[in-house]
Amino acid sequence: MAEHTTNYTSTFIEVAEDCPADHAQEPPAGETPTIAELHYRMIADHPFQHTSDDVIFATWALRRGIDPSDAAARTAFFAKGQACLRASPLGKRYGWGVLSDADGRVTLVPRESEEYALLAADPALGHTRAMRAKRS
């Protein structure tokens, strides 16, 4: 059984073209953590420590009461393709770019920052955008 991955390497995921936030915003905390909140906490609190696969699986597992360290559940989860961080609300709604390093570990970059502008113009990186919230 082939394992799929959501990881990018040396790639910058820019915010979606229709992202309503002109400045990066922390997703609001709720009684039940949202996908955006879980993605934000995991990446912002631990920059360059997790891969996209780590973040996507842990979010899925936590929302279902599954231990994120359950290797069998992770293998089953990635046995089929999964949405990557391009589909995360962080880049679609909240104004965060996602930078993946050469090892696929991720960090957040606020869209209004100088770092974001430099990364968006860096020809040494792969470039893609977060998915649009609405079809054009």
Side-chain angles (χ1 to χ4, degrees):
M1 162 164 57
E3 186 169 311
H4 295 267
T5 185
T6 67
N7 292 341
Y8 284 95
T9 56
S10 302
T11 299
F12 187 50
I13 301 173
E14 299 172 37
V15 299
E17 292 169 355
D18 64 347
C19 177
D22 60 354
H23 284 71
Q25 304 167 357
E26 184 175 333
E31 191 173 316
T32 302
T34 63
I35 290 171
E37 186 181 356
L38 291 170
H39 285 183
Y40 179 82
R41 282 278 149 246
M42 194 165 178
I43 300 170
D45 291 350
H46 306 282
F48 292 122
Q49 288 187 11
H50 301 290
T51 64
S52 173
D53 282 356
D54 296 338
V55 174
I56 299 296
F57 175 70
T59 299
W60 177 86
L62 289 168
R63 289 175 56 90
R64 285 159 183 78
I66 297 169
D67 182 347
S69 66
D70 183 331
R74 184 176 170 125
T75 298
F77 179 76
F78 285 112
K80 63 178 185 174
Q82 301 295 334
C84 67
L85 286 175
R86 288 185 58 227
S88 173
L90 296 179
K92 290 172 70 169
R93 162 71 186 89
Y94 293 102
W96 294 98
V98 179
L99 176 63
S100 299
D101 69 10
D103 296 318
R105 296 172 306 216
V106 295
T107 195
L108 297 175
V109 183
R111 83 177 304 175
E112 72 278 5
S113 69
E114 183 177 334
E115 179 185 13
Y116 184 99
L118 292 171
L119 290 168
D122 187 343
L125 292 173
H127 294 271
T128 190
R129 281 197 173 271
M131 295 177 180
R132 295 174 59 91
K134 297 180 178 77
R135 292 181 186 212
S136 51

